[in-house]
Amino acid sequence: MDSLIRRSVAEMFGTFGFIFFGAGAVVASVFPGAGYGLLGIALVHAIALSIMVTATMNISGGHINPAITISLLAVRRITLQTAVFYIVAQLIGAVLGAMALKMMLPSQVVRGALSGVPTIASTMTTGKAIALEALLTFFLVSAVFGTAVSPDAPKVGGFGIGLVVFFAIMIGGPLTGAAMNPARAFGPAVASGIWTAQGIWWVGPIVGGVLAALLWDKFLLPRHQPAS
């Protein structure tokens, strides 16, 4: 149990950092003179996730995302107990990160940027938004399996995973926010009280992540590893 608590704390810490800097980039982008736009937001998310995953991967595996945890559970790479602890820790970390952001940045700016809550473009239907989040998360989870889960994975830390977040936000950011992570939507929603379309960032990432996990587990990984 001590080991599981330690790993869960690592997940909480990693998710806190990712939400604080990722959502923080969205909020700070509205400051006069910020000028970095979508490219800067994507870059901050990518670097923040890369660092948080690299920092925690030797402790907890560096999930930092309930969709990734559920995907690994679906193919029995982790136990149900581990998954429950991780998801609770991730959501707590996401809320703490978003609340820290709310307290530390000017309140009018945070409110104007909706605390960094992802948004759905008016041109997107619910079905298309779910499908896009699912597809983007499919590639994110594929990066996790290909660069971290596989015993033949290259030693690149979390940077391969972060790069997927970068190009996913460049494509999907204006359409769905490209959250690919229920915690990325949940934390800012708690801080702002804005829950519009919250289900999209749960259903899409979980479906896409599980499909990617099944593909890698059944066809692409060289061998199965025991649950931890």
Side-chain angles (χ1 to χ4, degrees):
M1 182 62 73
D2 287 345
S3 172
L4 181 54
I5 291 173
R6 175 173 174 263
R7 287 181 281 147
S8 298
V9 170
E11 285 295 307
M12 182 172 64
F13 161 76
T15 310
F16 175 96
F18 175 59
I19 299 301
F20 182 81
F21 289 106
V26 175
V27 173
S29 70
V30 305
F31 275 91
Y36 53 79
L38 181 64
L39 180 63
I41 290 171
L43 189 60
V44 171
H45 277 83
I47 294 174
L49 184 63
S50 297
I51 297 298
M52 292 300 104
V53 171
T54 302
T56 59
M57 66 190 324
N58 288 332
I59 303 172
S60 65
H63 297 190
I64 321 297
N65 184 339
I68 290 174
T69 298
I70 291 170
S71 299
L72 290 166
L73 175 64
V75 293
R76 300 183 302 280
R77 298 276 164 169
I78 59 172
T79 65
L80 177 60
Q81 183 185 44
T82 295
V84 170
F85 271 72
Y86 276 22
I87 291 169
V88 171
Q90 291 156 1
L91 296 179
I92 292 173
V95 171
L96 292 176
M99 293 302 294
L101 188 64
K102 183 178 181 180
M103 289 187 293
M104 294 179 186
L105 271 65
S107 58
Q108 66 272 23
V109 176
V110 175
R111 285 196 301 269
L114 309 179
S115 295
V117 175
T119 56
I120 305 297
S122 60
T123 53
M124 293 290 286
T125 64
T126 298
K128 285 185 176 181
I130 290 174
L132 180 57
E133 283 289 319
L135 183 60
L136 296 177
T137 311
F138 179 91
F139 286 103
L140 176 64
V141 174
S142 291
V144 171
F145 273 79
T147 66
V149 175
S150 173
D152 298 331
K155 305 302 181 184
V156 294
F159 288 89
I161 299 166
L163 285 174
V164 176
V165 170
F166 175 76
F167 63 67
I169 290 177
M170 291 302 296
I171 297 296
L175 301 174
T176 65
M180 301 170 284
N181 182 340
R184 174 62 183 83
F186 181 80
V190 172
S192 66
I194 298 171
W195 295 92
T196 305
Q198 183 73 196
I200 289 172
W201 298 297
W202 285 82
V203 176
I206 291 172
V207 169
V210 169
L211 289 175
L214 291 171
L215 173 68
W216 280 82
D217 185 67
K218 301 300 182 184
F219 299 105
L220 301 179
L221 290 179
R223 64 178 180 273
H224 190 77
Q225 296 172 331
S228 61

Coordinates of all heavy atoms in Angstrom, one line a residue, residues 119-215:
T119 N -12.7 24.3 -25.1 CA -14.0 24.7 -25.6 C -14.2 24.0 -27.0 O -13.3 23.6 -27.7 CB -14.1 26.2 -25.9 OG1 -13.0 26.6 -26.7 CG2 -14.0 26.9 -24.5
I120 N -15.5 23.8 -27.3 CA -15.9 23.1 -28.6 C -16.3 24.2 -29.6 O -17.1 25.1 -29.3 CB -17.0 22.2 -28.4 CG1 -16.7 21.1 -27.3 CG2 -17.4 21.5 -29.7 CD1 -15.5 20.2 -27.6
A121 N -15.7 24.2 -30.8 CA -16.1 25.2 -31.8 C -17.5 25.0 -32.2 O -18.1 23.9 -32.2 CB -15.2 25.0 -33.0
S122 N -18.2 26.1 -32.5 CA -19.6 26.1 -32.8 C -19.9 25.3 -34.1 O -21.0 24.9 -34.3 CB -20.1 27.6 -33.0 OG -19.4 28.2 -34.1
T123 N -18.9 25.1 -34.9 CA -19.1 24.4 -36.1 C -19.0 22.8 -35.9 O -19.2 22.1 -36.8 CB -18.0 24.8 -37.2 OG1 -16.7 24.7 -36.6 CG2 -18.2 26.2 -37.6
M124 N -18.6 22.4 -34.7 CA -18.5 21.0 -34.4 C -19.7 20.4 -33.8 O -20.2 21.0 -32.8 CB -17.3 20.8 -33.5 CG -15.9 21.1 -34.1 SD -15.4 19.9 -35.3 CE -15.0 18.5 -34.3
T125 N -20.2 19.3 -34.2 CA -21.3 18.6 -33.6 C -20.7 17.8 -32.4 O -19.5 17.5 -32.4 CB -22.0 17.6 -34.5 OG1 -21.1 16.6 -35.0 CG2 -22.5 18.4 -35.8
T126 N -21.5 17.3 -31.5 CA -21.1 16.5 -30.4 C -20.4 15.2 -30.9 O -19.3 14.8 -30.4 CB -22.2 16.1 -29.5 OG1 -22.8 17.3 -28.9 CG2 -21.8 15.2 -28.4
G127 N -21.0 14.6 -31.9 CA -20.4 13.4 -32.5 C -19.1 13.6 -33.1 O -18.1 12.8 -32.9
K128 N -18.9 14.7 -33.8 CA -17.6 14.9 -34.4 C -16.6 15.3 -33.4 O -15.4 14.9 -33.5 CB -17.7 16.1 -35.5 CG -18.4 15.7 -36.8 CD -18.4 16.8 -37.8 CE -19.0 16.4 -39.1 NZ -18.9 17.5 -40.1
A129 N -17.0 16.0 -32.4 CA -16.1 16.4 -31.3 C -15.6 15.1 -30.6 O -14.4 15.0 -30.3 CB -16.7 17.3 -30.3
I130 N -16.5 14.2 -30.3 CA -16.1 13.0 -29.6 C -15.1 12.2 -30.5 O -14.1 11.6 -30.0 CB -17.3 12.1 -29.2 CG1 -18.1 12.8 -28.1 CG2 -16.9 10.7 -28.8 CD1 -19.4 12.1 -27.8
A131 N -15.5 12.1 -31.8 CA -14.6 11.3 -32.7 C -13.2 11.9 -32.8 O -12.2 11.2 -32.9 CB -15.3 11.3 -34.1
L132 N -13.1 13.3 -32.9 CA -11.8 13.9 -33.0 C -11.0 13.7 -31.7 O -9.8 13.3 -31.8 CB -12.0 15.4 -33.3 CG -10.7 16.2 -33.4 CD1 -9.8 15.6 -34.5 CD2 -11.0 17.7 -33.7
E133 N -11.6 13.8 -30.6 CA -10.9 13.6 -29.3 C -10.5 12.1 -29.2 O -9.4 11.8 -28.8 CB -11.8 13.9 -28.1 CG -11.9 15.4 -27.8 CD -10.6 16.0 -27.3 OE1 -9.9 15.4 -26.5 OE2 -10.3 17.2 -27.7
A134 N -11.3 11.2 -29.7 CA -10.9 9.8 -29.7 C -9.7 9.5 -30.6 O -8.8 8.8 -30.3 CB -12.1 9.0 -30.2
L135 N -9.7 10.1 -31.8 CA -8.7 9.9 -32.8 C -7.3 10.5 -32.2 O -6.3 9.9 -32.3 CB -9.0 10.5 -34.1 CG -8.0 10.3 -35.2 CD1 -7.7 8.8 -35.5 CD2 -8.4 11.0 -36.5
L136 N -7.4 11.7 -31.7 CA -6.2 12.3 -31.2 C -5.6 11.5 -30.0 O -4.4 11.3 -29.9 CB -6.5 13.8 -30.7 CG -6.9 14.8 -31.8 CD1 -7.3 16.1 -31.2 CD2 -5.8 14.9 -32.9
T137 N -6.5 11.0 -29.1 CA -6.1 10.2 -28.0 C -5.6 8.9 -28.4 O -4.7 8.3 -27.8 CB -7.2 10.1 -27.0 OG1 -7.8 11.3 -26.7 CG2 -6.7 9.5 -25.7
F138 N -6.1 8.4 -29.5 CA -5.6 7.1 -30.1 C -4.1 7.2 -30.4 O -3.3 6.3 -30.0 CB -6.4 6.8 -31.4 CG -5.9 5.5 -32.0 CD1 -6.5 4.3 -31.7 CD2 -4.9 5.5 -33.0 CE1 -6.1 3.1 -32.4 CE2 -4.5 4.4 -33.6 CZ -5.1 3.2 -33.3
F139 N -3.7 8.3 -30.9 CA -2.3 8.5 -31.2 C -1.5 8.8 -30.0 O -0.3 8.4 -29.9 CB -2.1 9.6 -32.3 CG -2.5 9.2 -33.7 CD1 -3.7 9.5 -34.2 CD2 -1.7 8.3 -34.4 CE1 -4.1 9.1 -35.5 CE2 -2.0 7.9 -35.7 CZ -3.2 8.3 -36.2
L140 N -2.1 9.5 -29.0 CA -1.4 9.8 -27.8 C -1.1 8.5 -27.0 O 0.0 8.3 -26.6 CB -2.2 10.7 -26.9 CG -1.7 11.0 -25.5 CD1 -0.4 11.8 -25.6 CD2 -2.7 11.8 -24.7
V141 N -2.1 7.6 -26.9 CA -1.9 6.4 -26.2 C -1.0 5.5 -27.0 O -0.2 4.7 -26.5 CB -3.2 5.7 -26.0 CG1 -3.0 4.3 -25.4 CG2 -4.1 6.5 -25.0
S142 N -1.0 5.5 -28.4 CA 0.0 4.8 -29.2 C 1.4 5.2 -28.9 O 2.3 4.4 -28.8 CB -0.3 5.0 -30.7 OG -1.6 4.4 -31.0
A143 N 1.6 6.5 -28.7 CA 2.9 7.0 -28.3 C 3.3 6.5 -26.9 O 4.5 6.1 -26.7 CB 2.9 8.5 -28.3
V144 N 2.4 6.4 -26.0 CA 2.7 5.8 -24.7 C 3.1 4.4 -24.8 O 4.2 4.0 -24.2 CB 1.4 5.9 -23.8 CG1 1.7 5.1 -22.5 CG2 1.1 7.4 -23.4
F145 N 2.4 3.6 -25.6 CA 2.8 2.2 -25.7 C 4.1 2.0 -26.5 O 4.9 1.2 -26.2 CB 1.6 1.4 -26.4 CG 0.6 0.9 -25.5 CD1 -0.4 1.7 -25.0 CD2 0.6 -0.4 -25.1 CE1 -1.3 1.3 -24.1 CE2 -0.4 -0.9 -24.2 CZ -1.3 -0.1 -23.7
G146 N 4.3 2.8 -27.5 CA 5.4 2.7 -28.4 C 6.7 3.2 -27.7 O 7.8 2.7 -28.1
T147 N 6.6 4.2 -26.8 CA 7.8 4.8 -26.3 C 8.0 4.5 -24.8 O 9.1 4.9 -24.3 CB 7.8 6.3 -26.5 OG1 6.8 6.9 -25.7 CG2 7.6 6.7 -28.0
A148 N 7.0 4.0 -24.1 CA 7.1 3.8 -22.7 C 6.8 2.3 -22.3 O 7.5 1.7 -21.5 CB 6.3 4.8 -21.9
V149 N 5.7 1.8 -22.8 CA 5.2 0.5 -22.4 C 6.0 -0.6 -23.0 O 6.4 -1.6 -22.4 CB 3.7 0.3 -22.7 CG1 3.3 -1.1 -22.4 CG2 2.9 1.3 -21.9
S150 N 6.3 -0.5 -24.3 CA 7.0 -1.6 -25.0 C 8.4 -1.8 -24.4 O 9.2 -0.9 -24.1 CB 7.2 -1.2 -26.5 OG 8.0 -2.1 -27.2
P151 N 8.8 -3.1 -24.2 CA 10.1 -3.4 -23.7 C 11.2 -3.0 -24.7 O 12.4 -2.9 -24.4 CB 10.1 -4.9 -23.6 CG 9.0 -5.4 -24.4 CD 8.0 -4.3 -24.5
D152 N 10.9 -2.7 -26.0 CA 11.8 -2.3 -27.0 C 11.8 -0.8 -27.2 O 12.3 -0.3 -28.2 CB 11.5 -3.0 -28.3 CG 11.7 -4.5 -28.2 OD1 12.5 -4.9 -27.4 OD2 11.0 -5.2 -29.0
A153 N 11.1 -0.1 -26.3 CA 10.9 1.4 -26.5 C 12.2 2.1 -26.5 O 13.1 1.8 -25.7 CB 10.0 1.9 -25.3
P154 N 12.3 3.1 -27.3 CA 13.5 4.0 -27.3 C 13.6 4.8 -26.0 O 12.6 5.1 -25.4 CB 13.4 4.9 -28.5 CG 11.9 4.9 -28.7 CD 11.4 3.6 -28.3
K155 N 14.8 5.1 -25.5 CA 14.9 5.8 -24.3 C 14.8 7.3 -24.5 O 15.8 8.1 -24.5 CB 16.3 5.5 -23.6 CG 16.6 4.0 -23.5 CD 15.5 3.3 -22.6 CE 15.8 1.8 -22.4 NZ 14.7 1.2 -21.6
V156 N 13.6 7.8 -24.6 CA 13.3 9.2 -24.9 C 12.5 9.8 -23.8 O 12.1 11.0 -24.0 CB 12.6 9.4 -26.3 CG1 13.5 8.9 -27.4 CG2 11.3 8.6 -26.3
G157 N 12.4 9.1 -22.7 CA 11.6 9.7 -21.6 C 10.1 10.0 -22.0 O 9.6 9.2 -22.8
G158 N 9.6 11.1 -21.6 CA 8.2 11.4 -22.0 C 8.1 12.3 -23.2 O 7.0 12.8 -23.5
F159 N 9.3 12.6 -23.9 CA 9.3 13.6 -25.0 C 8.5 13.1 -26.2 O 8.0 13.9 -26.9 CB 10.7 14.0 -25.2 CG 11.2 14.9 -24.1 CD1 11.9 14.3 -23.1 CD2 11.0 16.2 -24.2 CE1 12.3 15.1 -22.0 CE2 11.5 17.0 -23.1 CZ 12.1 16.5 -22.0
G160 N 8.5 11.8 -26.5 CA 7.7 11.3 -27.6 C 6.3 11.5 -27.4 O 5.5 11.9 -28.3
I161 N 5.8 11.4 -26.1 CA 4.4 11.6 -25.8 C 4.1 13.1 -25.9 O 3.0 13.4 -26.4 CB 4.2 11.0 -24.3 CG1 4.5 9.5 -24.3 CG2 2.8 11.3 -23.9 CD1 4.6 9.0 -22.9
G162 N 5.0 13.9 -25.4 CA 4.7 15.3 -25.5 C 4.6 15.9 -26.9 O 3.8 16.7 -27.2
L163 N 5.4 15.3 -27.8 CA 5.3 15.7 -29.2 C 4.0 15.4 -29.8 O 3.5 16.2 -30.6 CB 6.4 15.0 -30.0 CG 7.9 15.5 -29.8 CD1 8.9 14.7 -30.5 CD2 8.0 17.0 -30.2
V164 N 3.3 14.3 -29.4 CA 2.0 14.1 -29.9 C 1.0 15.1 -29.4 O 0.2 15.6 -30.2 CB 1.5 12.7 -29.4 CG1 0.1 12.4 -29.9 CG2 2.4 11.6 -30.0
V165 N 1.2 15.6 -28.2 CA 0.3 16.6 -27.7 C 0.5 17.9 -28.5 O -0.4 18.6 -28.8 CB 0.6 16.9 -26.2 CG1 -0.1 18.1 -25.7 CG2 0.1 15.7 -25.4
F166 N 1.8 18.2 -28.9 CA 2.0 19.4 -29.7 C 1.3 19.4 -31.0 O 0.5 20.3 -31.3 CB 3.5 19.5 -29.9 CG 3.9 20.7 -30.8 CD1 3.9 22.0 -30.3 CD2 4.2 20.5 -32.1 CE1 4.2 23.1 -31.1 CE2 4.5 21.6 -33.0 CZ 4.5 22.8 -32.4
F167 N 1.5 18.3 -31.8 CA 0.8 18.4 -33.1 C -0.7 18.1 -33.0 O -1.5 18.6 -33.8 CB 1.5 17.5 -34.1 CG 1.5 16.0 -33.9 CD1 0.3 15.3 -33.9 CD2 2.7 15.3 -33.7 CE1 0.3 13.9 -33.7 CE2 2.7 14.0 -33.5 CZ 1.5 13.2 -33.5
A168 N -1.2 17.5 -31.9 CA -2.6 17.3 -31.7 C -3.3 18.6 -31.4 O -4.4 18.9 -31.9 CB -2.8 16.3 -30.6
I169 N -2.7 19.4 -30.6 CA -3.2 20.7 -30.3 C -3.2 21.6 -31.5 O -4.2 22.4 -31.7 CB -2.5 21.4 -29.1 CG1 -2.8 20.6 -27.8 CG2 -2.9 22.8 -28.9 CD1 -2.1 21.1 -26.6
M170 N -2.2 21.6 -32.3 CA -2.1 22.4 -33.5 C -3.3 22.0 -34.5 O -3.8 22.9 -35.2 CB -0.8 22.2 -34.2 CG 0.4 22.7 -33.5 SD 0.3 24.5 -33.1 CE 0.3 25.2 -34.8
I171 N -3.7 20.8 -34.5 CA -4.8 20.4 -35.4 C -6.1 20.5 -34.7 O -7.1 21.1 -35.2 CB -4.6 18.9 -35.8 CG1 -3.3 18.7 -36.6 CG2 -5.8 18.4 -36.6 CD1 -3.4 19.5 -37.9
G172 N -6.3 20.0 -33.4 CA -7.6 19.9 -32.8 C -7.8 21.0 -31.8 O -9.0 21.2 -31.4
G173 N -6.8 21.8 -31.4 CA -7.0 22.9 -30.4 C -8.2 23.8 -30.8 O -9.0 24.1 -29.9
P174 N -8.3 24.4 -32.0 CA -9.3 25.3 -32.3 C -10.7 24.6 -32.4 O -11.7 25.3 -32.4 CB -8.9 25.9 -33.6 CG -7.5 25.6 -33.8 CD -7.3 24.3 -33.1
L175 N -10.7 23.3 -32.5 CA -12.0 22.6 -32.7 C -12.6 22.0 -31.4 O -13.8 22.1 -31.1 CB -11.8 21.5 -33.7 CG -11.3 22.0 -35.1 CD1 -11.0 20.8 -36.0 CD2 -12.3 22.9 -35.7
T176 N -11.8 21.3 -30.6 CA -12.2 20.7 -29.4 C -11.4 21.0 -28.2 O -11.7 20.6 -27.1 CB -12.2 19.2 -29.5 OG1 -10.9 18.7 -29.7 CG2 -13.1 18.7 -30.7
G177 N -10.4 21.8 -28.4 CA -9.4 22.1 -27.3 C -8.3 21.0 -27.3 O -7.3 21.2 -26.6
A178 N -8.5 19.9 -28.0 CA -7.5 18.8 -28.0 C -7.1 18.4 -26.6 O -5.9 18.3 -26.3 CB -6.3 19.1 -28.9
A179 N -8.0 18.2 -25.7 CA -7.7 17.9 -24.3 C -7.0 16.5 -24.2 O -6.0 16.3 -23.6 CB -8.9 17.9 -23.4
M180 N -7.7 15.5 -24.9 CA -7.2 14.1 -24.9 C -7.0 13.6 -23.5 O -6.2 12.6 -23.3 CB -5.8 14.0 -25.6 CG -5.9 14.5 -27.1 SD -4.3 14.6 -27.9 CE -3.7 16.1 -27.1
N181 N -7.6 14.2 -22.5 CA -7.3 13.9 -21.1 C -8.5 14.4 -20.2 O -8.6 15.6 -20.1 CB -6.0 14.6 -20.7 CG -5.6 14.3 -19.3 OD1 -6.3 13.9 -18.4 ND2 -4.3 14.6 -19.0
P182 N -9.3 13.5 -19.7 CA -10.4 14.0 -18.8 C -10.0 15.0 -17.7 O -10.7 15.9 -17.4 CB -10.9 12.7 -18.3 CG -10.6 11.7 -19.3 CD -9.2 12.1 -19.8
A183 N -8.8 14.7 -17.1 CA -8.3 15.6 -16.1 C -8.0 17.0 -16.6 O -8.2 18.0 -15.8 CB -7.0 15.0 -15.4
R184 N -7.6 17.2 -17.8 CA -7.3 18.5 -18.4 C -8.6 19.3 -18.5 O -8.6 20.5 -18.4 CB -6.7 18.3 -19.8 CG -6.4 19.6 -20.6 CD -5.5 20.5 -19.9 NE -5.4 21.8 -20.6 CZ -6.2 22.8 -20.5 NH1 -7.3 22.7 -19.7 NH2 -6.0 23.9 -21.2
A185 N -9.7 18.6 -18.7 CA -11.0 19.3 -18.7 C -11.6 19.5 -17.4 O -12.2 20.5 -17.0 CB -12.0 18.6 -19.7
F186 N -11.4 18.4 -16.5 CA -12.1 18.4 -15.2 C -11.6 19.5 -14.3 O -12.4 20.2 -13.6 CB -11.9 17.0 -14.6 CG -12.6 16.8 -13.3 CD1 -13.9 16.6 -13.2 CD2 -11.8 16.9 -12.1 CE1 -14.5 16.4 -11.9 CE2 -12.4 16.7 -10.8 CZ -13.8 16.5 -10.8
G187 N -10.3 19.6 -14.1 CA -9.7 20.5 -13.2 C -10.1 22.0 -13.4 O -10.7 22.6 -12.5
P188 N -10.0 22.5 -14.6 CA -10.4 23.8 -14.9 C -11.9 24.0 -14.8 O -12.4 25.1 -14.5 CB -10.0 24.1 -16.4 CG -8.7 23.2 -16.5 CD -9.1 22.0 -15.7
A189 N -12.7 22.9 -15.1 CA -14.2 23.0 -14.9 C -14.5 23.2 -13.5 O -15.4 24.0 -13.1 CB -14.8 21.7 -15.5
V190 N -13.9 22.5 -12.6 CA -14.1 22.7 -11.1 C -13.8 24.1 -10.7 O -14.5 24.8 -10.0 CB -13.3 21.7 -10.3 CG1 -13.4 22.0 -8.8 CG2 -13.8 20.3 -10.6
A191 N -12.6 24.6 -11.2 CA -12.2 26.0 -10.8 C -13.1 27.1 -11.3 O -13.3 28.1 -10.7 CB -10.7 26.2 -11.3
S192 N -13.7 26.8 -12.5 CA -14.5 27.9 -13.2 C -16.0 27.7 -13.0 O -16.7 28.6 -13.1 CB -14.2 27.9 -14.7 OG -14.6 26.7 -15.3
G193 N -16.4 26.5 -12.7 CA -17.8 26.2 -12.6 C -18.5 26.0 -14.0 O -19.7 25.9 -14.1
I194 N -17.6 25.9 -15.0 CA -18.2 25.7 -16.4 C -18.1 24.2 -16.8 O -16.9 23.7 -17.0 CB -17.4 26.6 -17.4 CG1 -17.5 28.1 -17.0 CG2 -17.8 26.4 -18.8 CD1 -16.6 29.0 -17.7
W195 N -19.2 23.6 -17.0 CA -19.2 22.2 -17.2 C -19.7 21.8 -18.6 O -20.0 20.7 -18.9 CB -20.1 21.5 -16.2 CG -19.5 21.6 -14.8 CD1 -19.7 22.5 -13.9 CD2 -18.5 20.7 -14.3 NE1 -19.0 22.3 -12.8 CE2 -18.2 21.2 -13.0 CE3 -17.8 19.5 -14.7 CZ2 -17.3 20.6 -12.1 CZ3 -16.9 18.9 -13.9 CH2 -16.7 19.4 -12.6
T196 N -19.9 22.8 -19.5 CA -20.4 22.6 -20.8 C -19.6 21.6 -21.6 O -18.3 21.7 -21.7 CB -20.4 23.9 -21.6 OG1 -21.1 24.9 -20.9 CG2 -21.1 23.7 -23.0
A197 N -20.3 20.6 -22.1 CA -19.6 19.5 -23.0 C -18.6 18.7 -22.3 O -17.8 18.0 -22.9 CB -19.0 20.2 -24.3
Q198 N -18.6 18.7 -21.0 CA -17.6 17.9 -20.2 C -17.5 16.5 -20.6 O -16.4 15.9 -20.7 CB -17.9 18.0 -18.7 CG -16.9 17.4 -17.8 CD -15.6 18.1 -17.7 OE1 -14.6 17.6 -17.2 NE2 -15.6 19.4 -18.1
G199 N -18.7 15.9 -20.9 CA -18.7 14.4 -21.3 C -17.8 14.1 -22.5 O -17.3 13.0 -22.7
I200 N -17.7 15.1 -23.5 CA -16.9 14.9 -24.7 C -15.5 14.5 -24.3 O -14.9 13.7 -25.0 CB -17.0 16.1 -25.6 CG1 -18.4 16.3 -26.2 CG2 -15.9 16.1 -26.7 CD1 -18.6 17.6 -26.9
W201 N -14.9 15.2 -23.3 CA -13.5 15.0 -22.9 C -13.3 13.8 -22.0 O -12.2 13.5 -21.6 CB -13.0 16.3 -22.3 CG -13.0 17.4 -23.3 CD1 -12.3 17.5 -24.5 CD2 -13.8 18.6 -23.2 NE1 -12.6 18.7 -25.1 CE2 -13.5 19.4 -24.3 CE3 -14.7 19.1 -22.2 CZ2 -14.1 20.6 -24.6 CZ3 -15.3 20.3 -22.4 CH2 -15.0 21.1 -23.6
W202 N -14.4 13.1 -21.7 CA -14.3 11.8 -21.1 C -14.5 10.7 -22.1 O -13.7 9.8 -22.2 CB -15.3 11.7 -19.9 CG -14.9 12.5 -18.7 CD1 -15.1 13.8 -18.5 CD2 -14.2 12.0 -17.6 NE1 -14.6 14.2 -17.3 CE2 -14.1 13.1 -16.7 CE3 -13.8 10.8 -17.2 CZ2 -13.4 13.0 -15.5 CZ3 -13.1 10.6 -15.9 CH2 -13.0 11.8 -15.1
V203 N -15.6 10.7 -22.8 CA -16.0 9.7 -23.7 C -14.9 9.5 -24.8 O -14.4 8.4 -25.1 CB -17.4 9.9 -24.3 CG1 -17.7 8.8 -25.4 CG2 -18.4 9.9 -23.2
G204 N -14.6 10.6 -25.5 CA -13.7 10.6 -26.6 C -12.3 10.0 -26.3 O -11.9 9.0 -26.9
P205 N -11.6 10.6 -25.3 CA -10.3 10.1 -24.9 C -10.3 8.6 -24.4 O -9.4 7.9 -24.7 CB -9.9 11.1 -23.8 CG -10.6 12.3 -24.1 CD -11.9 11.9 -24.6
I206 N -11.3 8.2 -23.6 CA -11.4 6.9 -23.1 C -11.6 5.9 -24.3 O -10.9 4.9 -24.4 CB -12.4 6.7 -22.1 CG1 -12.0 7.5 -20.8 CG2 -12.7 5.2 -21.7 CD1 -13.1 7.6 -19.7
V207 N -12.5 6.2 -25.2 CA -12.7 5.3 -26.3 C -11.5 5.2 -27.2 O -11.0 4.1 -27.5 CB -13.9 5.8 -27.1 CG1 -14.0 5.0 -28.5 CG2 -15.2 5.6 -26.4
G208 N -10.9 6.3 -27.6 CA -9.7 6.3 -28.4 C -8.5 5.6 -27.7 O -7.8 4.9 -28.4
G209 N -8.4 5.9 -26.4 CA -7.3 5.3 -25.7 C -7.4 3.8 -25.6 O -6.4 3.0 -25.8
V210 N -8.6 3.3 -25.3 CA -8.8 1.8 -25.2 C -8.6 1.1 -26.5 O -7.9 0.1 -26.6 CB -10.2 1.5 -24.6 CG1 -10.5 0.0 -24.8 CG2 -10.3 2.0 -23.2
L211 N -9.0 1.7 -27.6 CA -8.8 1.2 -28.9 C -7.3 1.1 -29.3 O -6.9 0.1 -29.8 CB -9.5 2.0 -30.0 CG -11.1 1.9 -30.0 CD1 -11.7 2.8 -31.0 CD2 -11.5 0.5 -30.3
A212 N -6.6 2.1 -28.9 CA -5.1 2.1 -29.2 C -4.5 1.0 -28.3 O -3.6 0.3 -28.8 CB -4.5 3.5 -28.9
A213 N -4.9 0.9 -27.1 CA -4.3 -0.1 -26.2 C -4.5 -1.5 -26.7 O -3.7 -2.4 -26.7 CB -4.9 0.1 -24.8
L214 N -5.7 -1.8 -27.2 CA -6.1 -3.1 -27.7 C -5.2 -3.4 -29.0 O -4.7 -4.5 -29.1 CB -7.6 -3.2 -28.1 CG -8.5 -3.2 -26.9 CD1 -10.0 -3.0 -27.3 CD2 -8.3 -4.4 -26.0
L215 N -5.0 -2.4 -29.8 CA -4.2 -2.6 -31.0 C -2.8 -3.0 -30.6 O -2.2 -3.9 -31.2 CB -4.2 -1.3 -31.9 CG -3.3 -1.3 -33.1 CD1 -3.7 -2.4 -34.1 CD2 -3.2 0.1 -33.7

